[in-house]
Amino acid sequence: MILLLLLLIPFVAGLLSWVAAGGRNTWCRWIALVSLLADLLITLGIWIQHPQDTGQWWYTYRVSWIPQFGISLHLAMDGLSLLMLALTFFLGALAVLISWKEIQTRVGFFHFNLLFVLCGITGVFLTMDLFLFYFFWEMMLIPMYFLIGIWGHEHREYAANKFFIFTQAGGLLMLLAILGLYFVHGANTNVYTFDYFDLLRTPMEQATGRWLMLGFLIAFLVKVPAVPFHTWLPDAHTEASTAGSVILAGLLLKTGAYGILRFVLPLFPEAVVVYAPWIMLLGVAGILYGGMLAYAQTDLKRLIAYTSVSHMGFVLLGAFAFNEIAYKGVVMQMIAHGISTGALFIIAGALYERIHTRDIREMGGLWSSVPLMGSAAMIFVMGSLGLPGLGNFIAEFLILLGSWEANHWLTVLATIGLVVATAYSLRIMQHVFFGQDSRQYALQDLNSRELIIIIALVLVICWLGFYPQPVLHTSQIIDYVVR
Amino acid sequence: MSYADFISLGPLITLCAAAVIAMLLVAVWRNHRLVYAFTVLAFLMGLMAIVPAIRYIPHLVPPLLVIDEFSLFNTGLILVAGFIIVLLSFNYFEEREERKEEYYLLLLLATIGAMVLVVSRHFMSLFLGLEILSISLYGLIAYLRARERSDEAGIKYLMLAALSSAFLLFGMALIYAFTGHMDFPGIGAALRQAGYLPVSVMAGFGLMLIGVGFKLGVVPFHMWAPDIYEGAPLPVAAFIATVSKGGMLVLLIRFYQDIHGNDYPMLWWIVAIVAVSSMFVGNWLALMQQNVKRILAYSSIAHMGYILVAFLSGVQTGLEAIAFYLVAYFITSIGAFGVVIVMSSSQQDAETVADYKGLFWRYPWVATIFTAMLLSLAGIPLTAGFIGKFYVVMAGVHGHQWVLLFMLAANSVIGLYYYIRLIAAMFNTPAAGEWVAVKPALPVAGNITLALLMILLVGLGVYPTGMMQLIQQMMKILV
């Protein structure tokens, strides 16, 4: 029941804030903020109650929905979902805070969309029914489309369309694969069901399994995004409003990674082994290629967007290394990347609000006028390049450690990615905050609202770096990952 | 005619009587409101007449008609669709035409034609139904005589429909010549006995398919659709998109079932080619359009292609999928046309994409409904269209039609683009001075109808179980 509550709170709040828009804009902001904080508190409460994942499901909720097809409203929560949900509500609440001043048009509708995306993401992280998973997977696209398309920058429509069409194409392949799995399971066991736990032990031929797995995998690779499928991401990130970018980078990409961990690996244990080296190669390609492209960008948000491609490559690398260390690293990376990239987007957004450009050639020497923002950026840039003491370091270290066992050469190549990361990270600092201050901007430093956001993020990223144990405990190994 | 016949044919008889009375009514006293109210009542009576008919199913009226769950369900669907279209018509014609009373008469007749199609199991009744439908449609399409495009569309439809009827007749004759039967089960039995498909029968099927394909508006018989959607009065376009196509589709299903179409791979291939080309041509051409009516026309061509994929799956689920898809498609199409209807002013239909620019900020309510309808056409969750598409894909997977399914998936993505473009236009903020002149009349009845359609759309999208149960019960009789 508590799981249903987690879903319903943003849903109802979304509708409420749309209605409340008729009154005053502040109302919708408060409704959104309070609802997300409430969800965050519930999640943290659960976390405190269950500090360690014992491999069991803490909560399940199941009611029949479309019994003819064996579809049920089946929700369940374990450590992985819990961590993802905590991240979702944390970043969600921050997204509301950042848009407090930035969004001044159709405020009610904005918050409605924001909360609906979050509701969809929550659903994705909780559902244990494949039909329902697809349902939520598609449901979060539409409000995200609006978030980019209405409140974005100059080329927002193009970016929104591209985002939508890419993810939808992937989604349809996944639908085919889900249905294929459904019928294969039905033909073999005579039980027609979309239930995750039943489908887990579907006996099937190897060839069938490989095809079905590809259907799932492509949908998730588009979302992650892996290299040949990544072209929607820089456009979407660049054109979206700050809150949109934070949601995209911090949460939406994670749904792809989550899908790989939760569905691809356990459902197709044989097929994944066959494809694992290739997918790890894709991951490494993403790390290097994304990093190099990031270095070449002059648009600050685009630069950060490409760093996402690079960082999410580590997730792919670790997920297909099939060992516990890499798996923990992957979960850590999902969280740390969400926090650090989200923070970088927030800083880029704050800068844009002040100087109305995202072109880093127009910036330079800003440190003297905005020292607070500069030091915040410094922390997250250092996180991004993997400085020890911050969450990203733990994550990447664990992933590399784990993938070494699986594949030496790919790990070596991935490690080179860290050098690339250093290059582009320092480039951000050098071009934006140090160097020549030719423009002589008179800027206002972070105000108290922004300071609260940044401090929250800094605390979390440092906590992850210095004391990652709670996260590692909670992301307790699921037996299928290790072979 | 026995008592059981009488009750079973109740809906049909009610509407026939209503058509006659409507004609007399118009002759005695021309009053728009009166005829309108009478037609609404007639449709309601027709719907109520279904209830007693349920007790007698399955009931044969040999040799022409069959009343079973399948036909009653589709009769109900047609009547509901017709009813909603009537509701949306009043304001539209009130503002545009001087002599609007005959419209209702023609609409009743066209509905009767479609109803005959869904109960027929014989070439005679098939042809009768088809002609009643077509001939009323000639008048309906050209109803707004003052408009140039209206005449053009009417004449175009007249020519093409007459031609396609001729093909249909020739095809029937060929089949009759070989099998000696005109009723569907008889033909099926004769073909089974023969054990093979002779060339003349094959040719007959081919020729019949031209006639049927024309009515369905599938490629390559789709040329008329965009022009007629564009030229016809909007409620009539909605009628053609739903009732006319739906009636024909139901007939096609029954015919195919009765002649055991699945036994003949040749037939399968022909329909498959039609389905794939409909999806591609429909979606591709829709991409190029700037006119909302034409977009809807081409998208409906593509949707017929999707339905044919379920049709070709050759499994029970496929038939259920078609029924569900039809329900969703009826709601969505009527809803989409309904939005265009309420948005149109008396001078000009709101038909260019530019008319919808910034609609969300001017009329958020209408824009929300239109968005929901378009998302349903695109098959996005929380709408009936999503469940419908899911059902179709499910049938395809069940029947192992992987190639067709990949085509369907590819086409859904293409289709997405033009639906999204329309939605984006509605959310677009037009620059100052770019506000378009269309000043819609937003009648209360129209708004309520649209609201109901949207509730239905979301209701079926969120909780489709009831409708699915109903459909599964009804489709058992067929296989």
Side-chain angles (χ1 to χ4, degrees):
Chain A
M1 204 58 214
I2 199 164
L3 302 180
L4 198 63
L5 194 68
L6 284 179
L7 265 176
L8 280 178
I9 289 177
F11 184 83
V12 174
L15 293 176
L16 269 182
S17 58
W18 198 0
V19 176
R24 281 175 56 202
N25 290 341
T26 331
W27 279 72
C28 349
R29 298 198 171 104
W30 278 109
I31 291 174
L33 187 63
V34 167
S35 67
L36 289 170
L37 286 179
D39 260 3
L40 183 62
L41 282 180
I42 296 176
T43 322
L44 292 181
I46 297 174
W47 200 357
I48 290 166
Q49 273 178 16
H50 306 269
Q52 194 153 8
D53 191 347
T54 48
Q56 280 164 355
W57 297 86
W58 298 331
Y59 297 96
T60 50
Y61 178 80
R62 182 173 188 174
V63 284
S64 182
W65 182 20
I66 309 177
Q68 290 98 326
F69 296 154
I71 297 172
S72 57
L73 188 71
H74 191 176
L75 308 172
M77 181 190 259
D78 67 348
L80 182 58
S81 351
L82 175 81
L83 288 173
M84 289 297 117
L85 286 181
L87 181 71
T88 306
F89 299 130
F90 178 62
L91 284 182
L94 291 190
V96 176
L97 277 175
I98 328 157
S99 5
W100 211 272
K101 282 270 148 43
E102 188 188 341
I103 303 299
Q104 291 296 346
T105 47
R106 356 270 191 213
V107 181
F109 192 56
F110 175 84
H111 287 92
F112 167 78
N113 282 318
L114 190 70
L115 287 166
F116 255 60
V117 176
L118 293 172
C119 180
I121 293 173
T122 311
V124 163
F125 288 146
L126 281 178
T127 174
M128 288 296 137
D129 184 282
L130 263 67
F131 176 86
L132 199 62
F133 177 73
Y134 180 72
F135 188 89
F136 281 124
W137 182 264
E138 295 282 296
M139 195 181 103
M140 65 187 178
L141 295 188
I142 291 285
M144 196 64 229
Y145 169 82
F146 287 140
L147 281 185
I148 304 172
I150 298 180
W151 292 276
H153 300 293
E154 311 85 58
H155 306 292
R156 53 180 178 264
E157 267 182 46
Y158 169 76
N161 287 344
K162 199 168 172 182
F163 159 76
F164 198 75
I165 286 171
F166 264 73
T167 41
Q168 178 76 18
L172 281 169
L173 286 182
M174 182 166 76
L175 176 65
L176 288 182
I178 289 177
L179 285 168
L181 187 63
Y182 171 79
F183 281 109
V184 167
H185 183 265
N188 288 335
T189 61
N190 232 349
V191 181
Y192 286 92
T193 174
F194 282 97
D195 199 88
Y196 174 74
F197 298 105
D198 291 335
L199 293 175
L200 268 186
R201 285 171 291 280
T202 304
M204 63 184 127
E205 286 174 37
Q206 275 199 343
T208 326
R210 285 180 201 173
W211 280 108
L212 294 180
M213 178 212 154
L214 274 185
F216 278 92
L217 190 65
I218 289 174
F220 297 139
L221 287 184
V222 169
K223 240 351 174 348
V224 165
V227 152
F229 309 108
H230 70 287
T231 62
W232 64 269
L233 179 120
D235 288 316
H237 278 47
T238 315
E239 299 304 327
S241 61
T242 310
S245 301
V246 170
I247 300 281
L248 264 174
L251 301 175
L252 231 63
L253 306 192
K254 306 302 175 292
T255 58
Y258 175 85
I260 289 177
L261 293 181
R262 178 73 87 209
F263 294 99
V264 174
L265 298 182
L267 284 175
F268 308 100
E270 287 153 71
V272 283
V273 177
V274 179
Y275 286 114
W278 296 105
I279 301 165
M280 285 171 81
L281 184 66
L282 274 188
V284 171
I287 295 172
L288 295 175
Y289 183 69
M292 284 192 278
L293 281 179
Y295 187 78
Q297 301 305 315
T298 53
D299 183 316
L300 184 56
K301 281 181 94 176
R302 218 175 166 80
L303 197 164
I304 304 170
Y306 274 113
T307 69
S308 285
V309 177
S310 177
H311 286 296
M312 293 307 280
F314 279 102
V315 169
L316 277 185
L317 183 70
F320 286 85
F322 308 126
N323 57 57
E324 183 171 352
I325 299 177
Y327 169 77
K328 290 195 166 173
V330 167
V331 178
M332 198 67 185
Q333 175 79 341
M334 283 158 79
I335 297 169
H337 171 259
I339 302 283
S340 67
T341 310
L344 283 177
F345 273 122
I346 290 173
I347 289 168
L351 272 177
Y352 182 80
E353 219 170 275
R354 288 167 174 76
I355 57 181
H356 302 289
T357 179
R358 301 187 305 266
D359 192 335
I360 55 175
R361 288 168 302 188
E362 304 275 309
M363 304 175 191
L366 296 183
W367 188 288
S368 53
S369 51
V370 283
L372 277 178
M373 202 189 283
S375 20
M378 183 69 120
I379 294 172
F380 292 109
V381 161
M382 290 304 132
S384 186
L385 65 79
L387 190 79
L390 300 170
N392 309 58
F393 167 73
I394 309 280
E396 278 159 25
F397 179 75
L398 288 176
I399 290 175
L400 290 173
L401 203 61
S403 68
W404 176 260
E405 283 180 36
N407 195 321
H408 297 319
W409 282 111
L410 287 176
T411 312
V412 170
L413 285 174
T415 317
I416 297 175
L418 291 182
V419 181
V420 182
T422 316
Y424 64 67
S425 303
L426 292 179
R427 186 158 179 265
I428 298 180
M429 284 317 284
Q430 181 62 35
H431 267 266
V432 178
F433 291 102
F434 302 122
Q436 288 288 304
D437 182 7
S438 49
R439 295 289 186 288
Q440 297 294 336
Y441 294 112
L443 302 180
Q444 190 207 355
D445 209 349
L446 296 175
N447 58 32
S448 50
R449 178 177 49 88
E450 288 164 332
L451 211 55
I452 293 173
I453 300 171
I454 293 291
I455 287 175
L457 287 164
V458 169
L459 286 180
V460 172
I461 199 87
C462 290
W463 167 60
L464 289 175
F466 286 119
Y467 186 53
Q469 205 50 38
V471 173
L472 298 181
H473 261 312
T474 312
S475 65
Q476 203 49 264
I477 190 62
I478 309 171
D479 50 0
Y480 55 76
V481 175
V482 183
R483 280 165 235 285
Chain B
M1 201 164 158
S2 73
Y3 178 69
D5 286 354
F6 194 73
I7 296 293
S8 297
L9 291 175
L12 205 53
I13 293 171
T14 313
L15 248 68
C16 289
V20 176
I21 298 173
M23 186 176 69
L24 294 175
L25 214 59
V26 175
V28 175
W29 184 29
R30 264 188 190 282
N31 182 322
H32 186 195
R33 205 168 285 274
L34 179 71
V35 183
Y36 167 72
F38 176 76
T39 317
V40 168
L41 195 73
F43 272 100
L44 284 179
M45 296 276 285
L47 270 174
M48 276 193 283
I50 293 179
V51 178
I54 292 174
R55 275 187 295 143
Y56 289 93
I57 47 175
H59 183 78
L60 287 181
V61 184
L64 293 184
L65 307 177
V66 50
I67 291 103
D68 52 15
E69 279 103 331
F70 181 63
S71 57
L72 275 188
F73 175 76
N74 288 301
T75 306
L77 196 59
I78 285 173
L79 282 171
V80 171
F83 175 67
I84 298 171
I85 290 170
V86 172
L87 287 186
L88 287 170
S89 302
F90 180 77
N91 239 57
Y92 189 82
F93 284 97
E94 179 70 34
E95 286 175 352
R96 282 170 186 75
E97 231 337 280
E98 278 188 14
R99 302 194 178 275
K100 42 230 165 202
E101 289 78 13
E102 284 84 355
Y103 165 78
Y104 297 94
L105 177 57
L106 288 171
L107 195 74
L108 279 170
L109 282 172
T111 312
I112 293 167
M115 284 164 73
V116 171
L117 281 181
V118 303
V119 293
S120 64
R121 62 195 280 275
H122 193 279
F123 280 165
M124 281 329 290
S125 47
L126 189 174
F127 196 71
L128 276 175
L130 190 75
E131 287 302 302
I132 297 174
L133 177 61
S134 297
I135 292 169
S136 334
L137 279 179
Y138 306 153
L140 284 171
I141 291 168
Y143 202 80
L144 299 178
R145 294 151 301 150
R147 288 193 197 178
E148 200 179 329
R149 280 184 310 184
S150 209
D151 283 351
E152 187 193 321
I155 290 177
K156 203 165 200 164
Y157 194 78
L158 171 78
M159 295 299 210
L160 289 172
L163 190 69
S164 77
S165 300
F167 276 110
L168 190 71
L169 270 183
F170 191 18
M172 288 176 182
L174 281 177
I175 295 171
Y176 177 64
F178 178 79
T179 59
H181 286 277
M182 291 219 281
D183 59 321
F184 304 165
I187 295 168
L191 286 180
R192 247 204 188 158
Q193 228 169 15
Y196 73 107
L197 213 55
V199 180
S200 60
V201 174
M202 200 60 232
F205 281 148
L207 290 171
M208 278 186 75
L209 195 70
I210 296 178
V212 172
F214 170 81
K215 265 275 171 308
L216 288 180
V218 288
V219 176
F221 317 110
H222 65 288
M223 308 294 187
W224 60 274
D227 292 338
I228 273 123
Y229 276 48
E230 201 184 349
L234 282 165
V236 177
F239 187 86
I240 296 173
T242 53
V243 175
S244 158
K245 289 190 177 183
M248 201 64 216
L249 194 72
V250 170
L251 181 99
L252 180 67
I253 293 171
R254 193 187 289 283
F255 184 65
Y256 200 76
Q257 289 292 330
D258 282 350
I259 63 160
H260 313 290
N262 280 326
D263 299 349
Y264 310 109
M266 189 74 179
L267 270 185
W268 188 93
W269 274 104
I270 293 175
V271 182
I273 291 167
V274 167
V276 171
S277 46
S278 291
M279 288 193 276
F280 272 104
V281 173
N283 277 321
W284 196 252
L285 290 177
L287 277 184
M288 321 268 176
Q289 303 303 320
Q290 285 302 324
N291 183 313
V292 176
K293 288 182 193 165
R294 292 183 87 88
I295 290 179
L296 287 176
Y298 282 116
S299 103
S300 88
I301 294 171
H303 279 276
M304 283 299 141
Y306 301 154
I307 291 184
L308 287 182
V309 172
F311 182 77
L312 288 167
S313 65
V315 289
Q316 171 71 30
T317 327
L319 294 180
E320 293 165 22
I322 295 176
F324 197 94
Y325 203 95
L326 265 188
V327 173
Y329 173 76
F330 269 42
I331 297 173
T332 313
S333 292
I334 297 177
F337 275 109
V339 170
V340 183
I341 290 173
V342 295
M343 281 303 296
S344 297
S345 64
S346 53
Q347 282 83 34
Q348 177 197 2
D349 283 354
E351 53 186 8
T352 60
V353 174
D355 288 337
Y356 292 85
K357 229 175 173 185
L359 184 68
F360 190 79
W361 317 121
R362 284 179 289 151
Y363 302 99
W365 167 236
V366 184
T368 307
I369 293 179
F370 203 25
T371 307
M373 296 299 162
L374 289 171
L375 290 179
S376 176
L377 282 173
I380 304 293
L382 287 177
T383 61
F386 166 70
I387 307 281
K389 185 166 275 176
F390 172 77
Y391 220 143
V392 167
V393 174
M394 186 156 168
V397 175
H398 198 181
H400 300 289
Q401 311 292 354
W402 292 104
V403 178
L404 287 179
L405 283 175
F406 278 112
M407 300 284 175
L408 194 151
N411 272 292
S412 296
V413 176
I414 303 177
L416 202 59
Y417 188 73
Y418 57 84
Y419 297 125
I420 278 294
R421 210 181 47 183
L422 248 179
I423 295 175
M426 284 195 285
F427 285 87
N428 206 319
T429 328
E434 217 193 345
W435 292 102
V436 255
V438 173
K439 283 209 181 57
L442 296 166
V444 181
N447 272 340
I448 293 174
T449 319
L450 287 183
L452 284 178
L453 282 173
M454 175 146 145
I455 291 170
L456 217 55
L457 186 82
V458 176
L460 279 182
V462 174
Y463 194 70
T465 314
M467 180 54 81
M468 282 179 180
Q469 263 165 356
L470 185 69
I471 287 172
Q472 280 178 342
Q473 273 168 10
M474 296 212 320
M475 292 294 164
K476 274 194 193 109
I477 206 94
L478 258 178
V479 173

